[in-house]
Amino acid sequence: MNMVPRKWPRQWLKAGACAAALVMAAHAGAAETVKIGFIDLLSGPFALTGQSSLNQLREVVAQVNAKAGPNEPKFEVMDFDNKGTPQESLNALKAATDRGVRYITQGGGSGVALALVDGLNKLAERDPERATVYLNYAAMDPQLTNERCSFWHFRFYPSSEMKMEALTTYLQGRKDVKRVYLLNQDYTHGRQVSKAAKEYLARKRPDIEIVGDDFIPIAQTRDFAPYVAKMAAAKADTVITSNWGSDLTLLFKSSRDYGLNINYFTLNANNPGTPAQIGPWGEGKVGVIWNWVHNAPTPELEKIYVDYKKKTGDDFVFAAHWNSMHMLREAMRKAQSTDAKKVALALEGMTYKSPMGEVRMRKTDHQLEAPLYLGIWAKQGSKGVKYDAEKTGYGFRSEVAWDNYISAQPTSCQMKRPS
């Protein structure tokens, strides 16, 4: 039976048939969409860091997509709030993989990272067709590239041991540093930083005395005045802390209110919302070990930073997103596939000419080997401080830049690769 109403003009029918053919042809030749699952903190006291990271990931993905060939896959970011807990992260992982996500990224918390690795290992064993690659942009626990290493995990950020290696190398030349106070969050990452700081200082600066070694419950301390008073009473001249989020901003606030005039070497003082809490008090005192400093002599990254700030008003700090998304694209080109296992194999051992220099994804443990920087808080306009942070009039100057090999660490990883 002819289901087309006779009253339709013939030219309409012809036009409709042509349009349908064009739609079918476009669909047949359409580039594949690869979903990137962002599983991180998007609520609670650390939400600012997670949301800023998500925004910067979306910007990087937009630029990667803009440079893609006509038949190359396009990336699409899907966000999942893990509320900062391992269980919620595993729930988010299931939701993501159920929706076809085969690549995830996360960085807010090493406890979460370890849970995700375990979940991904079980997923790959149980259902190989749904195997998923984890692109770690900031979780620093050394276990992730040592005894808990996984074929499905790739870290695009230095481990806490790599950062401590660089920092303690710098402190070898700082003879004014003699009494160090350690303050870290009480979870796996904070414990690892304390352990590495003590071991590396004992080897490189045995004359340094550790005058405090405290751990705080993560995101629960609202007043750091008692800790600041302990630092002052211990006559510490330097604090080393891996705190982040509100646990770092509130520490700085209490230190500023007390008038504590000592050095702070951090792993996260560049994180969104933190520079605004430092102000003039931290000039020359607050340092951060980072995979990139926005006043470092890296012209390509400087342009990325400037363009992003003009567009959004925010500072671009998550350089790991740049490396992870661009190297993911290159791995897909090399593998000529978007299949998770094939792409993971292509990522292993890959070298990439990044805006901060050549980097390499070490095959042994999937740790990115890349330059490291020490930024020191200083007034904008002073030597080496072209750009400020968060409209404060102060920014981090590039005090030291270390080549890849300086921070490289041995690994105990015995990686199990899929057949």
Side-chain angles (χ1 to χ4, degrees), residues 219-374:
Q220 294 181 35
T221 304
R222 308 311 302 168
D223 182 10
F224 280 84
Y227 292 101
V228 172
K230 285 179 68 177
M231 294 170 189
K235 297 182 179 179
D237 55 52
T238 299
V239 174
I240 294 176
T241 180
S242 62
N243 285 15
W244 61 287
S246 60
D247 287 338
L248 185 57
T249 56
L250 292 174
L251 172 61
F252 282 154
K253 181 181 183 302
S254 293
S255 300
R256 187 180 66 237
D257 292 347
Y258 188 95
L260 196 64
N261 186 29
I262 61 177
N263 303 306
Y264 269 89
F265 290 109
T266 79
L267 308 191
N268 298 295
N270 59 304
N271 283 4
T274 306
Q277 292 295 326
I278 304 175
W281 161 82
E283 184 175 4
K285 294 196 292 286
V286 175
V288 58
I289 303 289
W290 192 359
N291 64 336
W292 178 66
V293 176
H294 54 245
N295 285 297
T298 50
E300 189 178 349
L301 254 180
E302 179 181 0
K303 184 179 186 307
I304 294 165
Y305 171 85
V306 170
D307 289 348
Y308 186 76
K309 194 158 189 172
K310 284 181 180 177
K311 183 176 181 179
T312 68
D314 295 329
D315 295 328
F316 184 86
V317 298
F318 293 100
H321 285 326
W322 187 269
N323 284 337
S324 67
M325 292 300 108
H326 282 81
M327 290 179 73
L328 179 62
R329 166 72 72 203
E330 290 303 313
M332 288 178 179
R333 286 171 175 163
K334 181 180 177 182
Q336 296 186 341
S337 173
T338 59
D339 176 77
K341 185 173 82 168
K342 292 178 181 177
V343 171
L345 288 168
L347 268 174
E348 289 192 315
M350 175 180 286
T351 57
Y352 169 65
K353 192 177 184 304
S354 80
M356 58 276 271
E358 186 171 271
V359 300
R360 182 173 74 96
M361 180 57 70
R362 193 161 65 176
K363 182 177 180 178
T364 317
D365 58 351
H366 294 183
Q367 170 64 57
L368 189 74
E369 295 178 328
L372 272 181
Y373 297 85
L374 169 62

